[in-house]
Amino acid sequence: MTEFHRHIAKTAEAACRLVGPALLTAFRSQMQIDFKVDRHDPVTEHDRRAEAAIRDFIFREVPDSTFMGEEGGSIGSGEVRWFVDPIDGTANFARGLAFWCVSVGAVIGNEVVAGAIYDPVAGNMFTGSAAGAFLNGMPMQSRAAADEQHAVLITGYPVSRDFRLDGQWLALQRFGALTETFATLRRPGSAALSIAHVAAGWVDAAAGFGVNPWDVTAAIAILRQAGGSYHPHSLGKVAPDAAAYMHPGYVALGAGANYPVLCRIAHEISAGRVGALPAMHSIAR
């Protein structure tokens, strides 16, 4: 690991910590909530303020940067590309539900070189780089139940967008298959923090079908360095050989996981989005 890459990793972590105290103070306070696309996509003044603070910090620390934030879009044209979600899980943050995080990931070329995910409420800092994966500075190793019938799955599927794209009946059939297959299924509402929990070995798998690069870039670095695996799905929106962080769908598995029902359903969702809707009988266990 070069000194430059070490600096990138330290910058990602420091950027997360920079905004943690202010976000923690704002959490569960009265705040103005706006909506970007529809009522399912909230944003607060704290998202915008935190993103601006992270952006300014990154450009001071690494001038040769390109910054891509959820709220402000792309700025700069440098070698190091940063994908930043100042609050992943804004709906939770705005309502007072303690499952949200700050996510900062760095890419050079097409390689994710560093990621940091900070959960200020729990005080957990997840980091990943060539030096390894760490939770609060201690080495972290992913682990998972070998069989999905004994596993815990985090997924946001389906949401209203999935009903529109896949059809409500089929989406609910898929959700039912996952519910019956896995020992436990949860929908906490932050892709970055969900994948970080897979990396930590606290849950066995996570899956999502509507994410953006700022949601998953940092998480990919952390999960892979922890020994887990990340399986991208294009959903017909990007080339199949595009970088994993550019894909809008994913399955994240802890080390040792072999989950055929989850992987099959993820493949069917992705195939269906490009006009190859799978047969109904293939949903059954």
Side-chain angles (χ1 to χ4, degrees), residues 39-167:
R39 62 188 172 88
H40 303 293
D41 195 11
V43 62
T44 74
E45 68 268 30
H46 305 292
D47 296 78
R48 300 184 181 104
R49 197 173 299 149
E51 182 172 303
I54 292 172
R55 181 186 63 234
D56 292 346
F57 176 79
I58 284 174
F59 276 115
R60 285 197 304 270
E61 293 295 315
V62 187
D64 187 20
S65 290
T66 301
F67 184 93
M68 175 64 76
E70 178 174 13
E71 310 307 332
S74 182
I75 299 172
S77 57
E79 176 191 15
V80 185
R81 290 185 293 154
W82 300 86
F83 293 94
V84 173
D85 196 336
I87 308 175
D88 188 49
T90 296
N92 291 344
F93 173 82
R95 190 62 185 87
L97 179 61
F99 198 87
W100 54 273
C101 65
V102 184
S103 178
V104 177
V107 173
I108 298 177
N110 272 328
E111 180 186 359
V112 182
V113 297
I117 293 173
Y118 185 41
D119 176 352
V121 179
N124 288 325
M125 174 65 76
F126 307 85
T127 58
S129 68
F134 301 89
L135 171 58
N136 297 328
M138 300 298 292
M140 182 172 63
Q141 179 64 49
S142 175
R143 62 187 183 278
D147 190 314
E148 58 193 343
Q149 294 187 39
H150 299 105
V152 177
L153 169 67
I154 292 180
T155 183
Y157 184 88
V159 296
S160 61
R161 176 189 59 247
D162 300 312
F163 288 165
R164 294 193 300 270
L165 294 172
D166 300 344

Side-chain angles (χ1 to χ4, degrees), residues 157 162 165-166 170 174 208-210 231-240 247-251 262-278 283:
Y157 184 88
D162 300 312
L165 294 172
D166 300 344
L170 182 55
R174 288 168 171 156
F209 304 96
H231 306 271
H233 290 274
S234 72
L235 307 183
K237 291 188 174 182
V238 298
H247 285 66
Y250 75 90
V251 170
L262 173 60
C263 292
R264 185 180 71 245
I265 288 176
H267 173 76
E268 291 175 350
I269 291 169
S270 189
R273 301 284 173 92
V274 293
L277 199 63
I283 300 301

